[in-house]
Amino acid sequence: MKLLILFAFLFQLASGQDYLTLKDLPYQPDGAQLTDYQKERCKLDLYYPADKKNFATVVWFHGGGITGGQKHFPKELLTQGIAIAAVNYRLAPRVKSPAYIEDCAASIAWVFKNIARY
């Protein structure tokens, strides 16, 4: 994790960008016993201003009707002075309701708990 943050910081310095991106951060609670599918899908990417404090944060859930889709940052939200947490969650029919809702709730809880670090 520290290496990933260091790499993101160095990339930002080299490219002169004002934003950092971290990929595939697991958002399930520490100690949770996860299935292989949860380990694969329950991750988020974080895009945030490098030199700004107290920014707003949007948690973005991709479309796909609960049966498809991948996390991504909407281009309309980029470079707006905000952070974006782009979330992957488990999909139907591989899981049933409320599994994907629980994943989304866990990702929001992770953002509330961790965004101040960034």
Side-chain angles (χ1 to χ4, degrees), residues 1 10 23 28 49 103 117:
M1 176 70 164
L10 292 175
K23 297 266 189 191
Q28 290 292 347
D103 291 347
R117 285 193 228 173

Side-chain angles (χ1 to χ4, degrees), residues 37-57:
Y37 189 48
Q38 283 175 298
K39 290 175 187 173
E40 173 192 335
R41 290 292 300 182
C42 294
K43 297 180 180 178
L44 61 82
D45 294 347
L46 186 61
Y47 170 92
Y48 62 99
D51 55 359
K52 184 177 178 183
K53 299 284 184 196
N54 301 318
F55 45 77
T57 302

Side-chain angles (χ1 to χ4, degrees), residues 44-102:
L44 61 82
D45 294 347
L46 186 61
Y47 170 92
Y48 62 99
D51 55 359
K52 184 177 178 183
K53 299 284 184 196
N54 301 318
F55 45 77
T57 302
V58 172
V59 180
W60 181 261
F61 300 103
H62 62 78
I66 312 287
T67 61
Q70 280 291 103
K71 59 185 165 53
H72 68 281
F73 301 118
K75 65 180 179 179
E76 296 84 2
L77 296 179
L78 298 176
T79 67
Q80 298 297 314
I82 63 173
I84 307 164
V87 179
N88 263 356
Y89 48 86
R90 292 174 289 169
L91 302 169
R94 200 146 171 202
V95 296
K96 303 282 184 223
S97 179
Y100 25 82
I101 296 167
E102 293 166 347

